[in-house]
Amino acid sequence: NAYSIGYIDSGHGHALNLPEIALKNTDGMYLNSKEADVSASVTAETLAGRIPTTTAGFLSTWHGVTLMNKAGAKAWPIVTFSYLYIRKDLTALGESGALVKAFAQMVLSPAGQKMVPEFGFSPVPETLRAAGLLAVNTVTLGTGITDWEFEDATAAGTGMAPKVFSVKRASYADVERGLIVTDVTSLKAKVADLQMNEVVQLHGSGTTNPQKMFWKTMDILEERAMVPMTMTYRAVGSGTGQYEFIGEKNTAGAFTPYNHFGSGDIPFTLADHTLLSTTQSKAFMQVPFQAGLISFFHNIPADDLSGTAAGKINLDKCTLSGIFQGNITTWDHAAIKALNPASKIPAGTMIKVVRRIYGSSSTSTGSLYLSTAGAEAGCVYPWVIGVGSGDAASTAPTIPTKDPRWGAGTIGRQGSGGVSDYISANAYSIGYIDSGHGHALNLPEIALKNTDGMYLNSKEADVSASVTAETLAGRIPTTTAGFLSTWHGVTLMNKAGAKAWPIVTFSYLYIRKDLTALGESGALVKAFAQMVLSPAGQKMVPEFGFSPVPETLRAAGLLAVNTVTLGTGITDWEFEDATAAGTGMAPKVFSVKRASYADVERGLIVTDVTSLKAKVADLQMNEVVQLHGSGTTNPQKMFWKTMDILEERAMVPMTMTYRAVGSGTGQYEFIGEKNTAGAFTPYNHFGSGDIPIPQADYDKLKAASKDFVQIPFVISTISFFHSVPMGVMGNQTKIDLDACTLSAIFQLQITMWNDVRIMAQNPGLMFPKDSKINVVRRIYGSSSTSLTSEYLDLACPGQWKIGVGSGDAATTAPTIPTKDPRWGAGTIGRQGSGGVSDYISANAYSIGYLESGHGHALNLNEIELKNANGKYVNSKTADVAGVVNSAGMVIPAADASWAATSLMNKAGDATWPICTFSYLYIRKDLTSLGRSGAAVKAFAEFILSAEGQGLAPEFAFVKIPDSLRAVGLAGLAQLKLSADATPYIFESASSTLKGTGMMPFTLSGKRQSYADYERNAMSADMVALKAEVAALKATMAMPKAAEAPVGNFFSDPQEQVDAAMALGALGFVLGFIALIIGSVALVKVKAAAAGGGGNKYGGSSV
């Protein structure tokens, strides 16, 4: 509103770039808040003695404290403190009291105060901060309630204690989001009544069409709830959704649904409705919530359709019937050519027909539409292969077991995604999917002939016409009794109208009338349906390519939903759409006032896109399954991503963390020799390292009857990186060094880059005389140090004098080694791979060692090493996988010692000399871990699976060969779980396990979050934008054929304009890429309802 004025906190207004009124302060100066010195007001009030600085003062009244209208030329006239109000006696809060104290300590810590300016505010003066912290520390906790501790640097063993906030725990989201903290949303996600131990759950399954809307709706409800809850929707198709809703063969009881609600794009058949509602007296309602369209999409090259109107291809249902039954097999068939005379498709081009497998409403609706072809006058290809949703055995998914009985020439794919992927990848293909899905992927659409004889595509159609026509015909129920009756006679297909789309269908919610058996989950079923049918829910529908239902139908459906029966004592959820003081803080209120910081920064991206997977839980189980590992930093990103994937696929509440602290600490915490909980009791659930357990430690564990397995899961490499300026490289593009030269450098025997031993291998280099070598290396225990020292000792025998080992140092003197190698005082010690890489980047003429992928990701310059065959190679082009098959290589059993196993300095012209396995360390007896033992095994199984191994290249690792995977899997088969630990089952994204997929301990690839959908879309945009940037750069770098001399390259005004436009376009594209990267990072925020420990973009559970 132009010419408006209002007051809000300054930071809020500045964040929105609102113009600010310049105020007149006490000194008569006009200024805005950005120009003001806020600290002056605080200082003035402190000096006046009105701000308490003692604990007693913090307990007294502050009503006389004011920061308003203080003197000073730069003083802002309207300043106020923000306060924490904390009871002195927190005994009644139990463990929550300790959290109150810890929270206040964090807010008042230097790190907490450092965050304050980020949000447009000013931190309190140091004296006031310190005094406040002392006051907070005096609160009284309950008997037996201990303080939380903070691990700000590695504290081996102690860091794995239960009540420790460890800075060493992180998530894969950290990597993608950069400096944005993973826990920006965790505080609201953990809002819960600790007196309620049961996690309220909602689990649905069915059609894939509304999956994104359902996931988004669940995200919204989860973030607005105070009570811990988890809500999932398993997108498996309408047929499976109806099967699991009927539950006829459920081992828990005949006609007991597997799901809490079902969904489909087809109503129940009359037979199934009668069976469930009448014969079994299981009354249920079918509630339409959106109207969807089915379309036929193709992948005919645009050039072949350049002569047709708007590049379209027209097909009527008779021709489509012939195509999908195999009567028409080429695109130049007379029937197609008659409808598209201007097409230029090459003669004899075969049609690739792709269709769904398993039960699918798209198949049911599509086959029903094609079955009407026979009614058209003159149709020679009537539909004869049957109408139905289709199905197939999982052992032979391409062979139909139900109508339609597809021909052998068709290609079967699972899900809309499988069909769309096939169309995208195969020219001259055709298939059917929901219209919104195809348009979202920019697939070309077949123009269909409607009942009025008009050819159009679904974007041009008026969908509401079909719904209105059926409503006016009186076939759509509008009473509660009608929603409980059969809908099998309702169809939106082939309705009249020039703009009518011929294939329209409702999407339905299937809800049992009696929800008493579901307890609190019954109330969630009702609330979820209310949200979907609310104006806000219906407003989301078009976002996903569908149409909302008419208002009369929406209102009638909502009245029907409100009649469901809940269990005794189960109350409805309420919705706070505007501030309701007091009431809004009741436990069972979905409050629009609850949100996350991610919302602010993500804009249109929903705050809780990850909460669906983060809160997945088993209704009958309140225990959160936890998995906590620690060890080498190298695979940390791969581990965090794997944990994300498993958490989002789980129904049982899970929290999984990996603490990246180095191989040495990982082995220490896995061995647990000095654990106060018991000798040789591990601190972690599993360990990981880039070196095998040393023989001495292996023998100790064996002697203590603590058998374990070591599972290699990737091959990684170590490289030496340098920061020699390019200006001194001369004609050389690289630096070659052999092991003996590197040995001398790292022992400080060679200290200058122009040393004759370096120059002999690099005659083209031109180092200045004062080019001193800065040698940087790791401190504390590190597998990188162990492998580097092993290589230098092995490859240059007799020259390495400072010892082989992972190294270590006291925290009080971290640069002084306490274990081999005994680095010289002239070397620079840094913690972690990040510390080494940062030093190299910041200091010219430096050299250091770190994991190859880490260095390459930062575009550091790599030293080319001389391998065992005397060839200089780099890790990017070297043959890494081949080392496993090197002559004399012996692979032990998983439970044997791997101490003598080495991939170091193997023969081969292209072999990289410093290779190693990365290992998982797992105890054979996991019975003491309870259900966490099953999580350990499932984590390792996934890492060794084809999907898990497929992640390796993404993080610059080389996956292990199948022969080595077999060794690992044989080791996992030896693990012993406790009696109450049910092993996890995997349901892949490409196969459906009906019923089994909804079992508590199934990790289902069918579950995901709305965040994944938007992230994948943005990733595709990033690839396209990067390609555009590359093309623009190439264009800008390319001189014109008849360009002027160099001095006059931009003398032509038009050339100046062209160059300016190219630079402007490049700037826009680069800026947009930055925006996308930031948005992608923010999407993956941890959301944990209680218990802390979730740490991913897909988050953990409660």
Side-chain angles (χ1 to χ4, degrees), residues 1047-1096:
N1048 298 316
F1049 186 76
F1050 291 115
S1051 61
D1052 185 340
Q1054 184 58 46
E1055 289 180 345
Q1056 295 174 1
V1057 172
D1058 292 345
M1061 290 180 68
L1063 285 170
L1066 178 59
F1068 173 78
V1069 170
L1070 289 172
F1072 193 57
I1073 288 176
L1075 175 63
I1076 288 174
I1077 292 172
S1079 298
V1080 170
L1082 283 161
V1083 167
K1084 295 305 180 182
V1085 178
K1086 174 182 76 175
N1095 59 350
K1096 320 289 183 302

Side-chain angles (χ1 to χ4, degrees), residues 848-880:
Y849 56 85
L850 63 154
E851 193 267 329
S852 305
H854 188 144
H856 290 308
L858 298 173
N859 293 317
L860 297 179
N861 297 315
E862 184 182 18
I863 299 289
E864 296 221 354
L865 299 185
K866 187 176 184 180
N867 66 15
N869 280 30
K871 305 292 185 181
Y872 287 99
V873 292
N874 64 63
S875 62
K876 279 189 173 181
T877 58
D879 176 17
V880 175

Side-chain angles (χ1 to χ4, degrees), residues 251-488:
T251 55
F255 298 99
T256 297
Y258 296 93
N259 49 30
H260 294 150
F261 72 90
S263 184
D265 302 311
I266 47 176
F268 276 82
T269 64
L270 179 59
D272 281 339
H273 188 277
T274 301
L275 171 65
L276 189 58
S277 185
T278 304
T279 307
Q280 298 297 323
S281 299
K282 305 289 187 182
F284 69 99
M285 58 185 66
Q286 302 175 82
V287 184
F289 61 91
Q290 67 181 22
L293 290 68
I294 301 297
S295 294
F296 293 86
F297 292 92
H298 67 87
N299 188 1
I300 300 173
D303 289 346
D304 292 353
L305 301 177
S306 58
T308 64
K312 292 180 183 178
I313 184 164
N314 299 328
L315 293 177
D316 57 30
K317 56 189 171 185
C318 184
T319 307
L320 282 165
S321 176
I323 290 172
F324 277 81
Q325 290 182 106
N327 307 118
I328 298 175
T329 58
T330 62
W331 282 109
D332 63 338
H333 188 278
I336 299 176
K337 196 69 177 176
L339 298 173
N340 304 276
S343 67
K344 304 174 184 177
I345 302 174
T349 301
M350 299 298 295
I351 303 173
K352 301 170 184 175
V353 178
V354 61
R355 44 81 182 181
R356 292 278 291 271
I357 57 176
Y358 304 132
S360 159
S361 59
S362 298
T363 299
S364 177
T365 305
S367 61
L368 178 61
Y369 166 70
L370 295 175
S371 72
T372 64
E376 289 192 334
C379 180
V380 296
Y381 304 114
W383 190 254
V384 296
I385 62 174
V387 174
S389 59
D391 207 352
S394 58
T395 53
T398 61
I399 302 174
T401 57
K402 293 181 180 179
D403 290 344
R405 304 289 173 160
W406 301 105
T410 58
I411 294 98
R413 289 292 184 269
Q414 184 173 7
S416 298
V419 172
S420 60
D421 286 349
Y422 184 88
I423 295 173
S424 297
N426 294 273
Y428 301 106
S429 55
I430 185 173
Y432 56 87
I433 50 175
D434 64 276
S435 306
H437 189 148
H439 291 308
L441 298 173
N442 294 316
L443 296 178
E445 184 182 9
I446 299 289
L448 298 185
K449 183 181 179 181
N450 68 12
T451 304
D452 280 24
M454 305 298 294
Y455 285 96
L456 72 168
N457 61 46
S458 60
K459 284 188 173 181
E460 301 164 334
D462 176 12
V463 180
S464 63
S466 299
V467 181
T468 301
E470 194 72 352
T471 303
L472 293 175
R475 285 185 288 268
I476 296 182
T478 56
T479 65
T480 298
F483 285 93
L484 292 168
S485 65
T486 178
W487 282 62
H488 76 280

Side-chain angles (χ1 to χ4, degrees), residues 196 263 604 699 743 749 813 844:
M196 296 182 181
S263 184
L604 296 177
D699 292 339
S743 172
Q749 296 162 357

Side-chain angles (χ1 to χ4, degrees), residues 617-870:
D618 177 2
L619 176 63
Q620 298 175 334
M621 298 182 181
N622 298 321
E623 179 190 1
V624 178
V625 179
Q626 301 188 41
L627 177 65
H628 302 295
S630 63
T632 171
T633 60
N634 287 352
Q636 59 188 359
K637 302 177 187 69
M638 181 178 174
F639 280 0
W640 292 335
K641 184 166 186 176
T642 298
M643 289 172 170
D644 290 342
I645 291 170
L646 295 181
E647 284 179 341
E648 89 174 27
R649 294 183 181 182
M651 176 184 288
V652 173
M654 300 185 78
T655 179
M656 308 171 81
T657 73
Y658 180 72
R659 184 164 156 263
V661 287
S663 297
T665 302
Q667 289 188 353
Y668 174 94
E669 293 181 343
F670 175 75
I671 294 168
E673 183 175 4
K674 299 179 181 180
N675 194 340
T676 56
F680 297 105
T681 298
Y683 297 91
N684 49 29
H685 293 153
F686 72 90
S688 184
D690 302 311
I691 47 177
I693 298 290
Q695 188 64 47
D697 289 321
Y698 177 87
D699 292 339
K700 287 180 183 178
L701 285 168
K702 292 288 286 186
S705 298
K706 305 293 184 182
D707 293 336
F708 66 101
V709 292
Q710 300 179 79
I711 310 290
F713 60 93
V714 292
I715 304 171
S716 58
T717 59
I718 301 296
S719 295
F720 295 90
F721 291 93
H722 70 87
S723 56
V724 173
M726 295 304 295
V728 304
M729 296 291 286
N731 295 325
Q732 291 198 193
T733 59
K734 60 187 179 66
I735 295 179
D736 296 336
L737 292 178
D738 58 27
C740 289
T741 305
L742 284 163
S743 172
I745 289 172
F746 277 81
Q747 293 180 98
L748 304 182
Q749 296 162 357
I750 295 176
T751 60
M752 306 295 290
W753 279 105
N754 60 357
D755 188 279
V756 293
R757 285 166 285 186
I758 297 177
M759 298 303 295
Q761 297 172 71
N762 302 275
L765 296 179
M766 298 181 296
F767 290 109
K769 292 182 179 180
D770 59 348
S771 54
K772 182 179 181 296
I773 302 174
N774 300 313
V775 178
V776 60
R777 44 80 181 180
R778 292 278 291 273
I779 56 176
Y780 304 134
S782 160
S783 58
S784 300
T785 300
S786 177
L787 294 163
T788 299
S789 59
E790 180 187 348
Y791 163 69
L792 295 177
D793 184 59
L794 177 67
C796 190
Q799 301 301 310
W800 186 253
K801 304 295 186 181
I802 62 175
V804 173
S806 59
D808 206 353
T811 55
T812 53
T815 61
I816 301 173
T818 57
K819 292 182 180 179
D820 290 343
R822 305 288 174 161
W823 302 106
T827 59
I828 296 98
R830 288 293 184 268
Q831 184 172 7
S833 298
V836 172
S837 61
D838 287 349
Y839 185 88
I840 296 172
S841 298
N843 295 274
Y845 297 106
S846 301
I847 187 172
Y849 56 85
L850 63 154
E851 193 267 329
S852 305
H854 188 144
H856 290 308
L858 298 173
N859 293 317
L860 297 179
N861 297 315
E862 184 182 18
I863 299 289
E864 296 221 354
L865 299 185
K866 187 176 184 180
N867 66 15
N869 280 30

